[in-house]
Amino acid sequence: MPLRSVIAGCGGCLPAQVVTNEELAARHGLDTSDAWIRERSGITRRHFAGPGETAASMGAEAARRALAQAGIEAGEVDAVIVATATPDSAFPATAVHIQRLLGVTRGFGFDVSAACTGFIYALAIADSMLRTGQARCALVIGTEVYSRILDWTDRGTCVLFGDGAGAVVLRAEERADGRGILSTHLHADGRHADILHVEGTTGPLRMAGREVFKHAVTKLAAVVEEALAANGLPREAVDWLVPHQANIRIIEAMGRKLGLPPEQVVVTVDRHANTSAASVPLALAEAVEDGRIRKGDLVLLEAIGGGLTWGAALLRF
Ligand code: UT7
C-alpha cells in the first residue's frame, strides 16, 4: 500500500482584536473608505494581534486545536514546519518556539520563507519528508503578524492585511482508499521580487498591487491546471477550492476558471483580510470545522505571494 500524507486535523487561531475598515481608516487618518476597500478587495474587517500575541503564540494555539481535532498528543509530533514572514526572532526558528510551547521534545523543526505561498511550500516539504520516512507525524503551520510590518501611511497596502495562524496535523499512513496529498506544485520567479517585498527584515511591506493582481490571475490559473493534469483529473472532480485569501476578485476568477459554483469555494478574506501564509490553513480549518469539507473530498489549495512564489496542492481529505 502506498505511504500517503493524510491530514488528521486542522486548527485556526485569530487574535481577539477585530478592526473594521472604518475603524482602521479613522485610527490612521487614511484617505480611504469602507466602500473602496470592500469593492476592490472584498475585505470588511481583519484581526490584529495584541500585546504578547506573536507568530509563535498564535501558531501554537492553532496547532493545539489541530492536534485536538486529530486526537493526537503533542508527544507524537516529530516534525514542526512553519511558514512565516513575521517570525518572533531571526533564530531560534518560530517552529522551535512552537515546539517549546507545545512541549514537543523530539524530532526537528524549522521555518520556511515563501511569503503568502509559504503554507503550500511547507506542506510540500512535509509531504516529501513523511513519504520518505524522515518523520511520521508533522505539524504544518502558517502564522503571521503582518500588522507589525505595514506602513500605516500607505493606503494601498495597510488596509489589505490581517493577523492569524492556521495549522494541520499531517500523518504518514499506508492507505488504499486514495486519501492523502496527491501532489504539490511549487514555483518561484525572482525577476518579480520588487513588486511585492518587505524592506530589510523588519519592513515595511511594499506592493505594486495592480501588477501582482495580473500575475495572480494567470499564474494561479496555470498552477491549478498543472495540479489537475498531473493527476489526470478533470476540473469537475474538484469538490473544494481553498484559495489564498488576498482579494475576492482573484478568488472568484479562480472559481469561474474551474467551473465551480461559489458554494464550493472557501472564502474568509471578507472577515480575515490577507493573512499571508496563514490564509490557506485558516480557510481549510474553518471549512472542516463547520462540516463543509468531509473525509474523501477532493480539495485544491493554491496561493501566490512575494518572490514571486506560487503553488498548488491537490489532496483527498
Ligand atoms: O498576498 C499576495 C498576493 N497579493 C495580491 O494578490 C494582491 C493583488 N492586488 C490586489 O488585490 C489589488 O490590486 C488591490 C486591492 C491592491 C488594489 O486594487 P486595484 O483595483 O488594482 O486598484 P489600483 O491599485 O489600480 O488603484 C486604483 C485607485 C488608484 O487611484 P488612481 O491612480 O486611479 O487615481 C489608487 O491610488 O485606487 C486608489 N487607491 C485607493 N483608494 C482608496 C489605492 N488604495 C486605496 C485605498 N482607498 N485604500
Side-chain angles (χ1 to χ4, degrees), residues 9 51 61 139 174 187 251 316-317:
E61 186 51 32
L139 272 170
E174 280 171 357
H187 295 275
I251 294 170
R316 197 157 293 281
F317 191 75

Side-chain angles (χ1 to χ4, degrees), residues 54-61 86 88 94 97-98 101 143:
T54 69
S57 73
M58 293 191 300
E61 186 51 32
T86 48
D88 287 29
T94 309
H97 288 299
I98 291 175
L101 290 169
T143 181

Side-chain angles (χ1 to χ4, degrees), residues 137-173:
C137 181
L139 272 170
V140 184
I141 302 166
T143 181
E144 302 282 15
V145 272
Y146 269 44
S147 62
R148 303 206 172 125
I149 57 163
L150 295 172
D151 175 353
W152 299 109
T153 64
D154 177 10
R155 67 177 184 172
T157 55
C158 73
V159 302
L160 301 173
F161 294 90
D163 301 336
V168 301
V169 182
L170 211 57
R171 196 161 52 181
E173 294 179 11

